[in-house]
């Protein structure tokens, strides 16, 4: 009886600590996002990822506290890993882009309104960033064309942040009429 009351007390303590940690981390994310003048949608998306991680860690901690059986946990974990392996193989690109969005959020090399040139051989793109989300960014060139680029491309390729008011033209993409 006494150990059950203690487990309930620790469960409540774990939930409160996790809630407090989530509130502090989301607040820090919002402050950092406002200081760097990020869009509200981008701040919200990053806060949701942080909140989800706190929920998963809380559930895992409570499961350990209440004595999840190691052998039962191993069967469950291997089943979940097999299922997740198939699912993640099918959507590794989405996971890669989401991870890149989190890295770009905290490192903040670019923001909405910046002019950039992404160097990718014959697929070089020059324009102004119009949108940054969890999966992709949108870049608009001076002719009004919009390019949707995956976030992981910004981490894999060379990106030049341009200065000045006008966008330099990519000569290899201009037709000689």
């Amino acid at each position: 009886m006494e150990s059950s009351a203690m487990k309930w007390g620790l469960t409540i303590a774990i939930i409160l600590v996790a809630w407090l940690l989530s509130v502090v981390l989301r607040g820090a994310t919002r402050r950092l996002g406002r200081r760097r003048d990020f869009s509200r949608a981008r701040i919200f998306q990053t806060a949701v990822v942080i909140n989800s991680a706190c929920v998963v860690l809380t559930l895992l901690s409570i499961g350990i506290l209440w004595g999840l059986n190691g052998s039962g946990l191993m069967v469950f974990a291997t089943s979940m890993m097999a299922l997740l392996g198939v699912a993640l193989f099918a959507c590794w690109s989405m996971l890669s882009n989401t991870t890149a969005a989190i890295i770009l959020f905290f490192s903040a090399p670019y923001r909405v309104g910046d002019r950039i040139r992404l160097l990718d051989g014959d697929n070089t793109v020059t324009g102004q960033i119009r949108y940054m989300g969890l999966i992709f960014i949108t870049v608009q060139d001076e002719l009004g064309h919009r390019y949707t680029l995956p976030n992981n491309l910004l981490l894999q390729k060379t990106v030049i942040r341009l200065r000045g008011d006008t966008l330099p033209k990519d000569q290899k993409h201009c037709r000689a009429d």
Side-chain angles (χ1 to χ4, degrees):
M1 180 83 168
E2 189 175 309
S3 101
S4 179
M6 188 167 170
K7 283 184 180 179
W8 278 108
L10 285 174
T11 300
I12 292 171
I14 288 172
I15 291 171
L16 288 175
V17 166
W19 175 75
L20 182 64
L21 181 65
S22 176
V23 168
V24 168
L25 289 175
R26 285 182 292 150
T29 301
R30 281 191 206 103
R31 283 190 302 278
L32 179 69
R34 277 190 294 241
R35 191 174 331 130
R36 293 184 177 171
D37 198 30
F38 292 154
S39 71
R40 288 178 49 187
R42 190 170 177 204
I43 296 168
F44 175 76
Q45 291 168 346
T46 305
V48 166
V49 170
I50 290 171
N51 198 39
S52 299
C54 286
V55 167
V56 168
L57 289 175
T58 302
L59 292 176
L60 185 63
S61 300
I62 291 172
I64 290 170
L65 173 69
W66 282 91
L68 253 115
N69 188 353
S71 63
L73 184 62
M74 288 305 289
V75 169
F76 177 74
T78 54
S79 299
M80 288 304 294
M81 291 307 271
L83 182 65
L84 285 174
V86 171
L88 291 179
F89 181 74
C91 67
W92 68 269
S93 177
M94 299 290 278
L95 188 61
S96 171
N97 286 319
T98 303
T99 304
I102 299 298
I103 293 169
L104 289 172
F105 182 86
F106 286 107
S107 66
Y110 326 105
R111 62 177 45 167
V112 174
D114 284 350
R115 286 178 303 283
I116 63 168
R117 175 176 282 168
L118 184 123
L119 303 176
D120 189 16
D122 287 339
N123 300 319
T124 297
V125 175
T126 301
Q128 187 173 25
I129 298 174
R130 292 295 184 189
Y131 171 80
M132 295 182 85
L134 274 180
I135 307 299
F136 62 88
I137 72 162
T138 302
V139 176
Q140 182 175 350
D141 67 9
E142 64 183 8
L143 298 175
H145 299 110
R146 289 187 179 242
Y147 301 91
T148 303
L149 306 170
N151 283 329
N152 60 9
L153 197 62
L154 293 174
L155 296 179
Q156 295 172 2
K157 302 294 180 185
T158 302
V159 179
I160 302 169
R161 190 171 168 196
L162 303 171
R163 303 269 184 230
D165 293 336
T166 59
L167 293 172
K169 291 188 187 241
D170 288 329
Q171 295 303 320
K172 59 172 106 168
H173 297 294
C174 296
R175 279 195 251 168
D177 292 328

